[in-house]
Amino acid sequence: MKKVFLLGLCLSLLACLPAMAQRYKTAAGLRIGSDEFGFTIQQKILEKTTLEGLVTASPREITATILGEQHFPMLGQRFNYYLGGGAHGGRLKDYGAIYGVDAIVGLEYKVNGLPFLLSADLKPAIHFRHEEWFNMGGAFSIRYVIIKEKPPTPGQIIKGIFSPSDKKKKKKKESSSWF
């Protein structure tokens, strides 16, 4: 637990460095926990939402997990926290097939000028079929940005500032109707 706290503190300090935000659509890399090792891939599906797939192995089990995560910026767009949930399935040695549900909460930092993401998370899991019914996992991940998202052009930023939002358009349409 001390390692996760120290990692979070280090990521907080790194986020204070000034830089332009770089966005990403797809990133993949390694996940290292206290007793597990595996691979992770993240795919952005909405503006602040990603799907993350994990394949991890520990001395007694191999699992695959899919998580939906909502990201919230903290100190700019490069440093954020995220919350989410999902499900896992796999195989436990001397037990057989296992499955359950997961939650996740973590911190993510996009390294300035490099195509890397660093993250630390806590991932509690409730098992429906397992020797243990609950597991509080935590891990550190490093991902390489495979597909970058293009930043908005100055024209798009100006258009977004001066164009009315969808809510204003709907109110105008509703107020002009006879019903």
Side-chain angles (χ1 to χ4, degrees):
M1 194 63 157
K2 289 180 184 178
K3 290 179 184 178
V4 173
F5 175 75
L6 289 174
L7 180 63
L9 182 63
C10 290
L11 289 175
S12 297
L13 293 173
L14 287 173
C16 294
L17 299 173
M20 291 293 293
Q22 288 185 337
R23 300 176 180 168
Y24 67 95
K25 286 191 177 192
T26 307
L30 299 175
R31 178 178 173 84
I32 303 166
S34 62
D35 65 343
E36 70 178 1
F37 178 81
F39 299 100
T40 172
I41 186 164
Q42 268 187 337
Q43 175 65 47
K44 183 176 177 180
I45 56 172
L46 296 172
E47 182 61 32
K48 294 182 179 182
T49 306
T50 61
L51 281 180
E52 182 175 9
L54 307 170
V55 176
T56 57
S58 68
R60 296 196 62 224
E61 70 183 40
I62 296 174
T63 58
T65 308
I66 186 81
L67 300 162
E69 300 167 349
Q70 186 73 30
H71 295 253
F72 303 95
M74 289 175 60
L75 299 171
Q77 293 181 357
R78 290 187 304 119
F79 184 64
N80 62 68
Y81 71 95
Y82 54 94
L83 305 167
H88 69 271
R91 187 148 187 86
L92 180 64
K93 183 178 180 181
D94 300 330
Y95 191 80
I98 58 171
Y99 56 90
V101 294
D102 299 84
I104 192 165
V105 59
L107 297 170
E108 180 180 80
Y109 174 70
K110 166 64 179 80
V111 178
N112 182 26
L114 298 174
F116 292 103
L117 296 168
L118 304 174
S119 67
D121 62 62
L122 292 175
K123 190 176 76 65
I126 297 175
H127 306 290
F128 299 127
R129 181 165 163 41
H130 198 283
E131 290 175 340
E132 300 170 358
W133 70 273
F134 179 78
N135 179 32
M136 177 59 89
F140 172 76
S141 299
I142 182 167
R143 295 182 200 91
Y144 179 80
V145 175
I146 298 170
I147 301 173
K148 292 181 182 179
E149 184 177 65
K150 294 180 181 177
T153 64
Q156 291 171 330
I157 293 171
I158 292 170
K159 183 179 178 183
I161 292 171
F162 293 108
S163 66
S165 68
D166 292 337
K167 290 180 183 178
K168 290 179 183 177
K169 289 179 184 178
K170 288 180 183 179
K171 285 182 181 179
K172 286 181 181 178
K173 286 181 183 179
E174 289 174 4
S175 64
S176 65
S177 68
W178 291 91
F179 300 103

